[in-house]
Amino acid sequence: MSAPGGISVEIEAEAWSDDLPDVEAVVARAAVAALAAAGVAGEVVVLLTDDDAQAGLNARFRQREGSTNVLSFPAAPGFVPPGAPVPLGDLSLAHGVCAAEAAAQGKTLADHLTHLVVHGVLHLLGRDHLEEAEAEAMEAEERAILAGLGVADPYAAERAA
């Protein structure tokens, strides 16, 4: 399904729609907000899949075993005709992992998915969290975007500990 703002949502695992009937709108809203905050226009494809498929992607592209909540795949640089949207890349999210994390953290699936989509889009834009300074900057950017969407700070519990 093509959503507003150059965001395409592909639902491979029906559990996403079963648990969150407006899942496409949640994903599009989060991705559009992250792009707007960064001042970037572009195309993002979001795959909503299950844990097994995500584990396969994780093994194939990251050489890591098991499923994970979100994977980001930045688009390879290439020619983009003038005026055409820039392909930024793809995100893949695993339903079981995301739903379990949301439950364990006492969050709604919609809020957790919103956070993970924002996080993934920021990765597509080159943000990272490998070093402490990068992590702090990326988390601050996430918190600002999420606050604009009415989603509570996902890092509040970590900082309080």
Side-chain angles (χ1 to χ4, degrees):
M1 175 205 161
S2 185
I7 310 303
S8 296
V9 181
E10 301 293 330
I11 301 173
E12 186 174 84
E14 288 303 315
W16 281 106
S17 297
D18 293 344
D19 287 354
L20 198 56
D22 61 343
V23 68
E24 293 157 346
V26 170
V27 168
R29 182 173 172 251
V32 167
L35 293 173
V40 174
E43 293 181 338
V44 175
V45 176
V46 180
L47 174 66
L48 300 174
T49 193
D50 62 26
D51 290 2
D52 289 339
Q54 186 84 329
L57 292 170
N58 205 19
R60 180 174 175 195
F61 294 103
R62 308 289 180 171
Q63 292 74 52
R64 295 187 179 148
E65 286 189 36
S67 190
T68 188
N69 53 17
V70 61
L71 293 170
S72 57
F73 302 97
F79 173 76
V80 177
V86 177
L88 298 174
D90 303 339
L91 301 178
S92 177
L93 293 108
H95 178 268
V97 173
C98 294
E101 288 176 348
Q105 296 170 21
K107 300 174 183 174
T108 67
L109 181 56
D111 282 356
H112 192 51
L113 177 60
T114 297
H115 174 218
L116 293 173
V117 170
V118 167
H119 184 88
V121 169
L122 292 177
H123 275 304
L124 295 180
L125 297 174
R127 312 309 194 270
D128 217 332
H129 47 81
L130 297 176
E131 297 178 15
E132 188 174 335
E134 288 177 325
E136 288 176 15
M138 186 171 175
E139 289 173 10
E141 195 170 3
E142 289 174 32
R143 283 193 301 274
I145 294 165
L146 293 170
L149 294 170
V151 175
D153 177 357
Y155 301 107
E158 279 177 35
R159 287 194 318 277

